[in-house]
Amino acid sequence: MNSITPFDMRVAPTAVGTPLHDFVEKNAPALRNAAAVIGGRGAVQTVNRLFDDLSSKPSIGVHTQRRVDRLIRLFELDDAVVDDDFFLTIDPFDPIVEEICLLADSLRDASRRSQI
């Protein structure tokens, strides 16, 4: 899947709608945009790989979970994950900061609920 292709669960008829699958399907553009703002092209590639994983597999494997964990850490501005300085151009009072925080919290919650 490339950055132009939308995440679409309809192409994966065998996929079971876990909370993570549902969250990513509903928030695909927001995840991609947040990753681009904070981490640039590499982060967008991580999101696209996550989309590919979830579109093709009904379960959440180790690699998929690692991608989710990496995105959560990226959205939390973990120094170990943020390689580029894209996020330095964001004004801390910009509403996008709050949206990214909410996105990270929701992604973490969906991931936890999928592991039950």
Side-chain angles (χ1 to χ4, degrees):
M1 177 182 300
N2 60 36
S3 61
I4 298 172
T5 306
F7 178 72
D8 189 359
M9 287 297 296
R10 291 173 290 187
V11 299
T14 60
V16 176
T18 68
L20 184 60
H21 284 84
D22 293 341
F23 176 80
V24 170
E25 181 180 11
K26 291 175 186 170
N27 296 285
L31 290 167
R32 185 178 285 122
N33 291 339
V37 167
I38 296 173
R41 182 176 295 166
V44 171
Q45 288 176 345
T46 300
V47 171
N48 289 336
R49 287 184 189 119
L50 175 65
F51 295 166
D52 289 342
D53 289 349
L54 293 174
S55 293
S56 63
K57 299 174 187 166
S59 62
I60 299 167
V62 173
H63 295 292
T64 304
Q65 188 59 51
R66 286 183 185 159
R67 286 188 179 99
V68 170
D69 294 342
R70 182 174 173 80
L71 282 176
I72 292 170
R73 291 193 333 262
L74 176 73
F75 294 157
E76 293 174 343
L77 300 179
D78 184 338
D79 291 337
V81 178
V82 178
D83 299 332
D84 300 317
D85 295 331
F86 289 96
F87 71 94
L88 293 176
T89 61
I90 302 172
D91 179 7
F93 297 105
D94 191 320
I96 196 170
V97 173
E98 184 177 346
E99 291 177 23
I100 291 172
C101 291
L102 290 172
L103 191 64
D105 291 342
S106 299
L107 180 60
R108 184 184 309 102
D109 181 55
S111 176
R112 285 183 184 150
R113 286 185 293 129
S114 295
Q115 294 173 1
I116 297 175

